[in-house]
Amino acid sequence: MKILIGTRNPGKLREYEALLAGLNLTFLSLRDVDAGDDIPEPYETFAENAELKAREYAKRTGMVTLADDSGLVVDALGGRPGVYSARYAPGTDADRYTKLLGELTGVPADQRTARFVCAAALASADGTILDLQIGTVEGQIALAPGAGSNGFGFDPVFIPNGYTVTLNALTMDEKNAIDHRGNALRQLIPTLRRIA
Ligand code: IMP
């Protein structure tokens, strides 16, 4: 079965392919189909944004569609940047994590708790939501960017619980095994098996 992944990000597509290998699915992204303009993420919750994207891309393309919305929730900032993680600051990923470290100046290690959250929604070809799963990974914001060259976004400043290094020091497979997107997608596998 062909399945549309609601992303233009080749890195995310590779993560989906790795996580859902063996399900007899052929993965297409928004780069492979004509799905029109990108669907915005207008809501205050990851779940509502993920459902909107899955439903709308499915209706536009007539394909079973999986879409996610994710971000970083920092307790000392009252949950920010949350659903606004991608829009937290203009510029590069480094601009955004540097701003985050600046906002947390003086906040001690035990109060730097945070989590990545991912909501993943699956829609049938007519746009009906079949499943929605939330995955998280708990950790803390480092005092300075960690050494490492993998990953993206806020990975260089996020230390998962149980580790002493930031996420950008892990391989893609190591990160997938513990991260929010991996946790959300693994929970979707029973539904994907049922419809594949
Ligand atoms: P979106 O889910 O494509 O809207 O992306 C949300 C934003 O959250 C990204 O642009 C990153 O800033 C951040 N983010 C989400 N997942 C991760 C991750 O696995 N590592 C680092 N940053 C992430």
Side-chain angles (χ1 to χ4, degrees), residues 4-6 12 16 39-60 63-70 83 118-134 184 188:
L4 175 64
I5 307 299
K12 255 195 197 181
Y16 274 84
I39 306 284
E41 297 172 346
Y43 296 116
E44 295 287 325
T45 67
F46 297 109
E48 286 172 297
N49 286 332
E51 286 195 352
L52 175 73
K53 288 198 285 184
R55 187 188 313 120
E56 292 305 316
Y57 287 130
K59 282 200 267 190
R60 287 182 186 181
M63 290 181 66
V64 172
T65 302
L66 222 173
D68 72 35
D69 188 32
S70 58
V83 290
C118 175
L122 180 67
S124 63
D126 66 1
T128 306
I129 298 296
L130 301 173
D131 202 353
L132 170 79
Q133 297 293 339
I134 312 281
L188 278 180

Side-chain angles (χ1 to χ4, degrees), residues 12 41 69-71 85-86 116 152-155 175 180-181:
K12 255 195 197 181
E41 297 172 346
D69 188 32
S70 58
S85 293
F116 279 114
F152 71 101
F154 294 94
D155 283 348
K175 183 182 168 191
H180 49 316
R181 198 165 294 105

